Structures are given as C-alpha cells and as structure tokens.
Amino acid sequence: MKRTRIAALALATAAAALTPALVEASAAEGTSYLQDPAGGEKTMKTQWTKDEMHKLEAQFRFHPGVQYKTVAAPGPAGAPEWETKKADPKTLAWQPKFEFAWSVSDSTLVKKAVTTKNGKQPITLYAVVRRADGTKAAEITSDSKSRPATGRATVGGDKRIACDTGEYTVEWSATRSGYGTLGGSLRWDSSCEQYRTAFSDNNGRH
C-alpha cells in the first residue's frame, strides 16, 4: 500500500511538472508601465468646469503585462533528475492592465481657490488599445456611481495581444458626470525582444 501511494505521488508530481503554467513577468524584467501625463504619481491632467467651481483631475498608466508559459526542463549538470521550470518564449504574449487615478474637487467660496473633496462620485473609466489600422485590440469600461472623491484603480483587460505585432495607440478617458471628461493617448510598441533576451541570458530557468 505504501509503495502504491509513493508511486501515485511521484506520477502526480511528474504530471504537474509537465503541465504548462501561465506566468506573469515581473516589472524588473521590462518596462512596468507607460504614463499619461508623464511624471510622478501626483502628476495629473486638470480641467475646471465653465463656472470654475468644480475641478476634475486624472492620470492614466498602461501596464503591458507580459505573460508566458513554463515547461519542465532537466536540472543542472550532475543532478538532471531535479527538474526545473523553463520559460517557453513561443508562448510570450501581452495581457494589458489599465490603471487610473482621479480627483474631484469643488470650490466652496472663491473660484479656483478653496476646494473640498467629499462624498461618492459617479466616474466612468475607459481605455482602448488600437492597432495601426484603427481597429480595437482590447477595450475596457469601468462605470461606478460611488467612487471616492480621490482614488486609484486598476482594471484588468481580458484580451491577449500577440508579441511583435507593431505599434499600438492606447486611448483613455475618465469622466465625471456633470463635470466633464479628461483623457489622452500614448504609443506602445508590442515588441517582446527584451523578454526573449532575458530568457536567453538565464536560460529561461525559474
């Protein structure tokens, strides 16, 4: 009975090692994000309403999010039975995430002077990744009527984008009902060469 259990455990372990696992590359392996407007965490685009009593601020970060699968590989020389996981460059692909920051302020006495940031806000976050021909490669909309007056949120995309398929345009917007819309665009190159180089440098071992 004991031998049967050990054999079953060994078989399950070997099967798990051979099953490709989806891994997300860390920020250290490449560019972590692109930001609009460029700058630090507090760098925002700003817009006042026509009566100069209400202000909307927003910032956008595009996280390309490279993912890949791993496969089993022999262990180091002298101990090949100790299997490791090896990145499979053929499975590299992008799965973007979209990060938004916003702030809604209201003047209480003097235009563009004294402001407050209170209550829940109806804010819609939107982003789209467009190919060179203008078609959509990925798109997200996050609509909420109860966001904090100042906040930050990351919205995950559900579309994978193939590596090395050219340059894309990422468009984004943050809309506060009754206050207006802020947005912009940035360019993104889908090349995965830096990741392939990293895998080659360390033999893809993880």
Side-chain angles (χ1 to χ4, degrees):
M1 179 66 73
K2 186 176 181 181
R3 289 182 178 179
T4 301
R5 289 176 180 172
I6 293 174
L9 179 60
L11 182 60
T13 302
L18 293 172
T19 302
L22 191 61
V23 178
E24 184 168 340
S26 68
E29 293 176 293
T31 303
S32 57
Y33 60 80
L34 301 174
Q35 181 175 308
D36 182 31
E41 184 167 318
K42 295 183 179 180
T43 305
M44 300 274 201
K45 289 189 173 182
T46 302
Q47 176 178 288
W48 286 88
T49 54
K50 290 183 179 180
D51 61 6
E52 299 184 339
M53 294 297 289
H54 309 284
K55 180 172 67 171
L56 173 63
E57 297 175 274
Q59 179 197 88
F60 173 75
R61 288 175 176 174
F62 175 67
H63 298 262
V66 152
Q67 293 184 336
Y68 56 89
K69 290 182 179 180
T70 59
V71 294
E81 69 277 10
W82 292 98
E83 287 189 343
T84 62
K85 292 292 186 179
K86 180 179 180 181
D88 183 359
K90 295 179 182 178
T91 65
L92 275 169
W94 303 97
Q95 186 154 0
K97 294 180 181 179
F98 309 89
E99 181 183 351
F100 300 81
W102 66 86
S103 179
V104 177
S105 306
D106 302 293
S107 294
T108 55
L109 297 173
V110 182
K111 294 180 178 180
K112 291 188 177 182
V114 181
T115 61
T116 59
K117 300 178 181 180
N118 300 311
K120 299 298 183 179
Q121 307 290 331
I123 297 174
T124 299
L125 309 175
Y126 173 79
V128 59
V129 182
R130 295 188 185 278
R131 302 180 182 89
D133 63 2
T135 58
K136 298 175 183 179
E139 183 179 30
I140 60 97
T141 300
S142 178
D143 194 10
S144 175
K145 297 184 182 302
S146 59
R147 298 191 194 276
T150 298
R152 183 178 290 272
T154 300
V155 183
D158 61 356
K159 298 291 186 181
R160 300 187 82 199
I161 299 175
C163 286
D164 309 312
T165 47
E167 285 199 350
Y168 291 77
T169 299
V170 184
E171 301 169 359
W172 68 276
S173 67
T175 302
R176 198 294 189 184
S177 179
Y179 285 52
T181 297
L182 277 173
S185 65
L186 49 82
R187 303 288 290 177
W188 168 60
D189 187 343
S190 64
S191 171
C192 287
E193 184 60 32
Q194 60 182 324
Y195 292 95
R196 291 194 185 88
T197 300
F199 292 160
S200 176
D201 288 344
N202 64 11
N203 295 320
R205 298 291 174 83
H206 291 268

